[in-house]
Amino acid sequence: MNKRIHYYSRLTAPADKALIAPDHVVPAPEECYVYSPLGSAYKLQSYTEGYGKNTSLVTIFMIWNTMMGTSILSIPWGIKQAGFTTGMCVIMLMGILTLYCCYRVVKSRAMISSVDTTTWEYPDVCRYYFGSFGQWSSLLFSLVSLIGAMIVYWVLMSNFLFNTGRFIFNFIHHINDTDAVLSTNDSNPVICPSAGSNDHPDNGSMIFYANDTGLQQFEKWWNKSKTVPFYLIGLLLPLLNFKSPSFFSKFNILGTVSVLYLIFLVTFKAIHLGFHLEFHWLMQTEYFVPEIRFQFPQLTGVLTLAFFIHNCIITLLKNNKNQENNVRDLSIAYMLVTLTYLYIGVLVFASFPSPPLTKDCIEQNFLDNFPSSDILSFIARIFLLFQMMTVYPLLGYLARVQLLGHVFGDIYPSIFHVLILNLIIVGTGVIMACFYPNIGGIIRYSGAACGLAFVFIYPSLIYIISLRREDRLTWPKLIFHIFIIILGLANLIVQFFM
């Protein structure tokens, strides 16, 4: 509709208002949403057809805030999989690579001189170069990122709800839950839930007193993988059926608060736990992992989604007051995101108490390494649970807009269509929370899949084609961008062998 209105307005002279669209058919500003799958999803308050009035500082913060999200919980695990030194290098290199690809996205509209691209978004650019294939393939990979993020959210919400309930039960009955798992014995206990379970997260409950009927009943009805994922259905399924998610977008500030609190939590724990590091380049020891591990592609898969903002970066930068600063502001935002990931990942990995625990105990969600009785971790889980419960309906709305809007031409064809779609999305989340509650695995698979298109292939191919049409394509540029595409393909393929 936006493109049609823009086209009609150009059919007459600027002074002639005959074909200017009336206000009641122009989409309201509050209906323009941006999202990063595992970051924030919110509406743009000041979105306009031209350029906005945000300062560079606000623009940088918006990009940082949109990109930061739940993927931060898996960064320490990714560093453990890659090795400490390798992990830090991979984070910095992936930050640089995804920044360059994002830069190519930002510049993609300017490469088209024959058409007015003022109102275009990135899918429009893909459709210009690749036709209907570009449109539908971008839709497919966008849905992959959305559905993958919603699955991760369901797994994490089940985890946080389970631990919140367990904290309340333990507090009322004066139960110490660190007695059931391998843990440190100090005032800031750290646990190893996966000890003795082949690195698979413990999806059961507590085992303390076999004859305690109340505890047995609690364990029966409050189980991380067997009951809690189903309890969320009654709470979240009705919210997904709302016609408009405007109410939930009001809680976007919770995402910022959650990230800032996680930074505080990690800093506080690191101060009290101290650093525990030994450097062994290739040799695995009892308590420490080598600095170089061949599982490092698992971290690249996670980081592809952690640095993913390519689908909405054009929209965000449209609101920048000084358009000449777009590249600088984008670079600063990526640098801040990279430093945030490094800060969280390095502190959690370095302060993890080894010995007595091995670094391999670091969980895919590092909050699982703190017992449910830990007050600071309990607060973090409450923050994240509430934040995810407000973002989840937004992601569901965006999935509905992209799928039903393209297939039926209406984002709300009927309550039946919407309910069927939401049941499929929720059912997928419940199944994964019950049988594969590994957020690191889900993030790296969905990240490598959607990143293949939006991060690696489309930006590079569009740049190659545009240079070719202008007879400015050189062999170094061609080889470099083909190399980026190969990296994206390898990043996806290798995930299935790790």
Side-chain angles (χ1 to χ4, degrees), residues 8 38 47 53 79 116 180 193 216 233 288 311 361 416-417 451:
Y8 288 158
L38 292 181
Y47 182 81
K53 298 181 180 179
I79 291 179
D116 181 10
Q216 289 179 346
I233 297 177
F288 297 92
N311 60 328
C361 283
F416 176 77
H417 291 82

Side-chain angles (χ1 to χ4, degrees), residues 473-487:
L473 183 62
T474 60
W475 279 107
K477 291 181 179 179
L478 178 62
I479 294 173
F480 176 72
H481 289 89
I482 289 178
F483 177 68
I484 291 178
I485 295 174
I486 293 174
L487 284 179

Side-chain angles (χ1 to χ4, degrees), residues 40 61 64-66 68 251-263 387:
S40 298
F61 174 76
W64 177 88
N65 185 46
T66 305
M68 295 300 302
F251 298 95
N252 177 55
I253 188 64
L254 288 175
T256 307
V257 173
S258 300
V259 173
L260 293 178
Y261 182 79
L262 283 177
I263 294 174
Q387 183 241 344

Side-chain angles (χ1 to χ4, degrees), residues 55-175:
T55 63
S56 289
L57 185 62
V58 173
T59 301
I60 291 169
F61 174 76
M62 286 180 64
I63 296 173
W64 177 88
N65 185 46
T66 305
M67 217 184 307
M68 295 300 302
T70 52
S71 55
I72 200 172
L73 298 173
S74 293
I75 297 297
W77 170 80
I79 291 179
K80 181 256 293 187
Q81 295 298 98
F84 184 59
T85 302
T86 306
M88 290 192 296
C89 294
V90 167
I91 291 175
M92 290 185 286
L93 291 174
M94 284 295 295
I96 295 172
L97 178 59
T98 51
L99 168 61
Y100 174 76
C101 294
C102 198
Y103 165 77
R104 291 265 60 96
V105 171
V106 173
K107 293 295 183 180
S108 60
R109 293 189 307 165
M111 305 292 289
I112 304 173
S113 58
S114 59
V115 184
D116 181 10
T117 60
T118 306
T119 61
W120 281 22
E121 303 294 339
Y122 195 54
D124 298 314
V125 178
C126 294
R127 182 167 55 247
Y128 174 83
Y129 282 100
F130 307 119
S132 60
F133 172 79
Q135 176 185 359
W136 288 101
S137 61
S138 62
L139 170 66
L140 174 62
F141 286 108
S142 181
L143 284 173
V144 168
S145 68
L146 274 172
I147 301 301
M150 295 182 75
I151 292 173
V152 171
Y153 272 45
W154 201 276
V155 173
L156 286 173
M157 287 188 293
S158 301
N159 181 309
F160 296 149
L161 182 61
F162 169 76
N163 281 288
T164 300
R166 193 162 77 168
F167 172 86
I168 297 172
F169 183 87
N170 291 351
F171 182 79
I172 294 174
H173 295 86
H174 307 287
I175 295 176

Side-chain angles (χ1 to χ4, degrees), residues 264-283:
F264 161 76
L265 171 66
V266 168
T267 305
F268 180 86
K269 292 293 185 181
I271 292 174
H272 285 79
L273 293 171
F275 284 180
H276 306 267
L277 290 173
E278 284 186 11
F279 295 92
H280 305 275
W281 291 105
L282 296 174
M283 181 180 64

